[in-house]
Each structure stands twice: as C-alpha cells, then as structure tokens.
Amino acid sequence: MTGQPKTRVSVRIYGQDYTIVGTESPAHIRLVAAFVDDKMHEFSEKNPMLDVPKLAVLTAVNIASEYLKLKEEYNRLREQLKKEKDGGRDD
C-alpha cells in the first residue's frame, strides 16, 4: 500500500458508467476516461460491425501500441541526451 488517498470518480466510456478508483487526481482520471472514450468511438466509426468486447480489445491494443512507441522514443531521446551531456563519449 502506498498510503496515498484513493479518489473515486464516476465516468462514462462508450455509453457505460464506471467508477474509477485510483490515486491520480479526478481531472487526470477524467482525462484518461475521455481519451479511451474518444478512441473507442474513433475505432467504432472505422469498424461499425465490431461488438463492444472486440472494440474494447482493438482500442486497448492500439493504445498499447501508441504507448510502447512513445516509450521507445522516450528511451532513445534519453540516451541521446545522456550522450550529449557526456560530451559524446561512448564509455
């Protein structure tokens, strides 16, 4: 346990109400929920025949892919910055 207070936030994602419990701020939780909702609607427009569970998985896979690409880019930039900070030395 982290000891941080838990926040309960009611959100609506793709027409369903959820109560999200976490340690992030209510604004952050709403932002995340809105992002997921937007992505689900985006993929639903492109794939109108998908049922909700398949749409949710497609959305999760796409968000995970975006996250992993950004994480990879972050690590690449961090290494580049470290090299520049060290004067370009490859120790």
Side-chain angles (χ1 to χ4, degrees), residues 1 4-5 11-12 14 19 29 33 35 37 44 47 54 57-61 65 67 69 74-75 77 82 88:
M1 292 263 167
Q4 294 179 336
V11 298
R12 181 173 280 264
Y14 206 69
T19 299
I29 293 171
F35 180 77
D37 183 63
S44 175
N47 304 283
K54 287 181 181 173
V57 170
L58 176 65
T59 302
V61 167
S65 176
Y67 166 77
K69 286 176 186 177
Y74 168 79
N75 288 331
L77 289 170
K82 183 177 184 260

Side-chain angles (χ1 to χ4, degrees), residues 14 33-45 55 59-60 62-63 66:
Y14 206 69
F35 180 77
V36 171
D37 183 63
D38 289 346
K39 286 292 188 180
M40 287 187 73
H41 283 284
E42 176 186 329
F43 293 125
S44 175
E45 288 174 16
L55 178 62
T59 302
N62 277 271
I63 291 172
E66 288 177 18

